[in-house]
Each structure stands twice: as C-alpha cells, then as structure tokens.
C-alpha cells in the first residue's frame, strides 16, 4: 500500500469520498489509536486509514484465541506489514468463559466483551485512548450481539458511524491498493458450531482442519458447519456449481474432510449463507459478502 | 441421532427429489437437517434445481437440506 490521501480520494465516488474524509478528520483529532485487526477487509481499511491519518501513532492489534485459525493469524501479520502499521498480538482464552462455551445466541456478546476488554488494556499500555473496530453499515440489522458489546465499551466504529456498507468498504480497500479488497468475509470458528452445542478446543481445531482442506482445494467461499460429528459443507454459489459437476472433486472433499475427524460429511443443497446458524426469525440468512 | 425416513414420508421425499433430477436412495433426519443420500454422486442436478428442491423440502422442522457425501456407518457395514 503506497498512496497519499489525495490518491485515495480521487478514486472514490463523491459520497464515499466525503465519508472517508470524515473518518480521516475523526482520526486526525485523536492523539493515537488502536485498531482491532483481524486481517479482514473491514479492519484493514480502518487500519490503513489510521496510518494515513496518524502515521506511527496508529497501532493494529490482533486478538489471538482458540477461535482464530493459524492461517488467519499469518494473513493478519502479512497484511499489517503490507499496510506498514505497528502490529501487536493480544492473547486471551475464550474457552475460560463458561458463558462463551455454552454457545447460546449471545455467544458473540461474551466473546467481543472479552476481546475488547483486552484491547482496552493494550491501548492503556500503549498510551492510546481510542480503540477502533471494522464494523460496517452492512452489519446492522443482522443478529450481531457483538456490536452491543462494542457499543457498551465505546469502541470507535468509523465505518458504521459514517454509514459505509460492505460494498463501500471494498471500494475503499481497492482504492487504497489493499490486497484483501475482495477477500471473502470469514467469521470466527465458533460460528460453525450450532447454538446449544458447546464450543470446545477439539471441535474448533477439527473445523479449522476441514476448512483448510477446502481452501487447499481452491475454494474461496465456504463454511464447514459442525453438527456434532456431522460436517455440513456450505460452498459459495459458483463454487457449488463447480463441485456438483465434478464427481471426483466431491469424493475428494468427502475423503479429506473425513480425515479431519468427522464421521459424516454432507454438502448443503443451498450453499453458503452468512449467519445460517443464527436463530430462526432474525434477518441475515442470505447476504452477499 | 439419525431418524431414517420410511414408508410414505420417504416416498414423498424421493418423488420430489426425482422431480428435480435427484435419485435418492435413502433419507434421514439429523436434528434440523434432512440428509439425502444420492444414488449416484456423478448424476446430480444443477445448483438451481437443488435449491428448488431444498425449498420444497424445507419447513416442518427442516432447516437444512444436505446431500450425503460420506458416512462412517457405510464403511463399518462393509
């Protein structure tokens, strides 16, 4: 990434440009900032804008816990280097919280509460007053108890505050030259476990191994939903079409996912849906990422 | 825990599946999933037909319709 403010603004449509300018104005008024950084496109944009506004007074912090896969952590490290932002890791254990482990529909509230409490401790250590997140305007209206946790902690959510949706985020990322501008959204591994089934280390690692299998088979949009020992594989639209046409590929998926420890492997007939394990009756069953 | 469909419910699932180009050998409920075992993984309908089938079979406690690719129980029976 190597652009000046003017480069970013020129590439965007006027409304989006105005919103980015407002975010930069927000940030320039802050002495310093810590961005909760997952390596996804949303937090990457916030981190990149923070660098533009604050330079070395901007920090990125990635929460390292049981629900973060090893590949995702490595991608976050690479992206922080790409952006040029100072990058810290914050370790904590979600599985130490029985309320998180229980895996009710409020799971994300407990997780984000822990996460942002850790972020705020880090911010204090770094002498920063503000912690920021990459929540965006497309997140509102879905079942997102995590947003409530952030709101309670007065986390700065610039994309949400300035009404920038996912499409806008990707446009900004592309204008900034970020390599992740079209990276598919990826929720934490615990979102693959239906509510009511406990989140355990064993289940998380098995899901991680199964999803690594799909990534190695060049799928980009996918989830392995773990209904106990049954792996229900969701593939994105075009990728589902590819798999349905290829008997050998389906066999390969079955064998490789089986080898990760599941006793049954199936292919979801509808394919990937964001929030497909969310409680019935809430919005967000199908949403483009 | 699996609950295999038999009799009329199975016949209805197989009929609907065949209408959408899918030959189903057996079907079972696993919680909110309806799992269909295709006769031939090399002869599956396209994505649109599969989605229509899932819509037709959904409801009445079925939240997900899914095609069985592999089952440990099959290998144990061999």
């Amino acid at each position: 990434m190597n652009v000046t403010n003017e480069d970013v603004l020129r590439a965007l449509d006027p409304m989006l440009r105005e919103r980015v300018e407002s975010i930069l104005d927000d940030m320039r008024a802050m002495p310093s900032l810590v961005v909760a950084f997952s390596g996804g496109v949303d937090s990457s944009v916030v981190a990149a804008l923070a660098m533009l506004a604050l330079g070395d007074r901007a920090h990125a912090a990635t929460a390292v816990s049981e629900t973060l896969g090893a590949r995702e952590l490595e991608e976050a490290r690479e992206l922080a280097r790409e952006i040029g932002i100072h990058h810290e890791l914050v370790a904590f254990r979600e599985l130490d919280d029985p309320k998180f482990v229980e895996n009710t529909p409020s799971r994300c509230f407990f997780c984000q509460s822990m996460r942002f409490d850790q972020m705020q401790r880090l911010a204090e250590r770094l002498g920063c007053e503000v912690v920021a997140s990459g929540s965006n305007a497309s997140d509102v209206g879905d079942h997102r108890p995590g947003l409530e946790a952030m709101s309670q902690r007065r986390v700065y959510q610039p994309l949400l505050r300035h009404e920038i949706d996912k499409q806008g985020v990707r446009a900004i990322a592309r204008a900034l030259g970020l390599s992740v501008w079209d990276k598919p959204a990826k929720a934490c591994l615990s979102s693959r476990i239906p509510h009511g089934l406990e989140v355990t280390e064993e289940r998380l690692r098995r899901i991680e191994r199964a999803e690594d299998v799909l990534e190695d088979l060049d799928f980009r949009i996918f989830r392995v939903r773990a209904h106990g020992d049954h792996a229900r594989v969701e593939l994105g639209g075009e990728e589902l079409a590819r798999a349905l046409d290829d008997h050998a590929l389906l066999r390969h998926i079955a064998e490789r996912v089986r080898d990760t420890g599941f006793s049954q492997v199936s292919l979801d007939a509808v394919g990937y849906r964001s929030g497909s394990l969310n409680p019935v009756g809430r919005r967000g069953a199908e949403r483009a990422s | 825990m699996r609950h295999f469909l038999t009799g009329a419910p199975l016949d209805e699932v197989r009929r609907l599946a065949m209408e959408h180009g899918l030959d189903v050998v057996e079907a079972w409920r696993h919680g909110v999933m309806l799992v269909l075992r295709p006769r031939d993984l090399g002869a599956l309908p396209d994505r649109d037909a599969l989605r229509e089938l899932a819509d037709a079979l959904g409801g009445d406690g079925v939240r997900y319709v899914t095609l069985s690719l592999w089952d440990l129980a099959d290998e144990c029976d061999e």
Side-chain angles (χ1 to χ4, degrees):
Chain A
M1 190 192 88
N2 185 21
V3 295
T4 64
N5 288 6
E6 290 73 27
D7 287 343
V8 172
L9 296 178
R10 202 177 300 132
L12 299 173
D13 73 54
M15 186 179 296
L16 197 51
R17 186 186 314 150
E18 189 180 326
R19 292 174 185 184
V20 171
E21 283 174 344
S22 296
I23 291 175
L24 292 172
D25 286 343
D26 284 353
M27 290 179 170
R28 287 188 194 106
M30 300 172 187
S32 54
L33 177 66
V34 172
V35 179
F37 184 71
S38 66
V41 62
D42 304 322
S43 60
S44 297
V45 163
V46 175
L49 292 177
M51 273 300 289
L52 283 175
L54 296 171
D56 61 8
R57 288 175 292 133
H59 306 267
T62 299
V64 181
S65 65
E66 302 91 331
T67 58
L68 180 69
R71 290 185 186 188
E72 280 204 82
L73 175 58
E74 190 48 39
E75 285 169 13
R77 284 186 163 124
E78 284 174 13
L79 199 49
R81 282 193 289 270
E82 178 183 324
I83 293 170
I85 192 167
H86 173 242
H87 186 214
E88 297 255 357
L89 301 182
V90 178
F92 72 106
R93 284 187 53 81
E94 285 150 326
L95 298 184
D96 283 350
D97 184 347
K99 293 194 290 284
F100 174 82
V101 169
E102 192 184 356
N103 197 14
T104 67
S106 298
R107 181 196 68 230
C108 285
F109 175 83
F110 302 119
C111 170
Q112 296 291 55
S113 294
M114 284 188 278
R115 183 182 309 270
F116 282 93
D117 285 344
Q118 293 293 332
M119 290 289 169
Q120 284 177 334
R121 285 191 196 103
L122 171 69
E124 283 167 20
R125 184 164 64 77
L126 295 174
C128 297
E129 292 178 10
V130 182
V131 173
S133 88
S135 316
N136 68 66
S138 297
D139 295 333
V140 176
D142 198 348
H143 175 63
R144 296 292 173 102
L147 288 181
E148 176 60 27
M150 283 186 253
S151 175
Q152 287 180 6
R153 285 157 181 77
R154 299 176 189 246
V155 171
Y156 170 55
Q157 301 172 79
L159 302 173
L160 188 56
R161 177 186 287 191
H162 295 283
E163 299 179 351
I164 297 176
D165 63 11
K166 195 72 177 196
Q167 190 176 1
V169 171
R170 293 194 185 281
I172 297 167
R174 193 166 190 182
L176 286 167
L178 291 174
S179 62
V180 292
W181 72 271
D182 65 344
K183 180 179 179 180
K186 221 167 185 191
C188 88
L189 294 173
S190 64
S191 69
R192 318 302 195 259
I193 304 171
H195 295 303
L197 277 183
E198 283 194 348
V199 180
T200 66
E201 181 82 45
E202 183 192 353
R203 284 180 174 147
L204 292 171
R205 299 287 71 80
R206 186 170 58 176
I207 290 163
E208 181 182 5
R209 289 194 300 272
E211 292 199 347
D212 284 350
V213 161
L214 295 176
E215 187 173 33
D216 290 343
L217 290 172
D218 293 330
F219 290 103
R220 291 190 75 232
I221 299 175
F222 54 82
R223 297 287 187 273
V224 176
R225 309 286 187 187
H227 299 263
D229 291 334
H230 183 127
R232 177 172 59 85
V233 176
E234 291 181 2
L235 299 177
E238 291 308 315
E239 295 177 310
L240 176 59
R242 170 167 74 100
L244 291 171
D245 256 348
D246 191 338
H247 178 194
L249 178 58
L250 288 177
R251 277 268 177 246
H252 201 46
I253 290 171
E255 287 167 2
R256 296 278 307 276
V257 172
R258 170 201 67 192
D259 290 346
T260 66
F262 287 98
S263 63
Q264 296 172 67
V265 183
S266 68
L267 180 68
D268 190 277
V270 173
Y272 168 65
R273 289 148 293 180
S274 172
S276 74
L277 291 179
N278 280 352
V280 176
R282 302 208 187 240
R283 285 182 51 202
E286 290 197 46
R287 195 184 56 180
S289 61
Chain B
M1 181 114 184
R2 288 195 268 189
H3 298 282
F4 282 88
L5 272 61
T6 58
L10 176 61
D11 290 342
E12 178 62 7
V13 166
R14 296 191 70 224
R15 183 189 68 76
L16 275 170
M18 193 61 82
E19 274 180 16
H20 291 84
L22 179 66
D23 188 358
V24 169
V25 174
E26 56 183 355
W28 62 90
R29 287 286 299 272
H30 180 128
V32 294
M33 285 189 291
L34 175 62
V35 186
L36 310 176
R37 187 195 304 283
R39 185 177 302 281
D40 183 358
L41 282 179
L44 298 177
D46 65 26
R47 179 179 49 148
D48 292 335
L50 213 49
R51 189 187 184 104
E52 283 176 16
L53 175 60
D55 285 344
L57 292 174
D60 193 26
V62 173
R63 196 165 169 195
Y64 312 103
V65 175
T66 187
L67 306 184
S68 178
L69 299 183
W70 177 78
D71 196 317
L72 177 64
D74 295 341
E75 298 201 352
C76 291
D77 288 342
E78 286 171 4

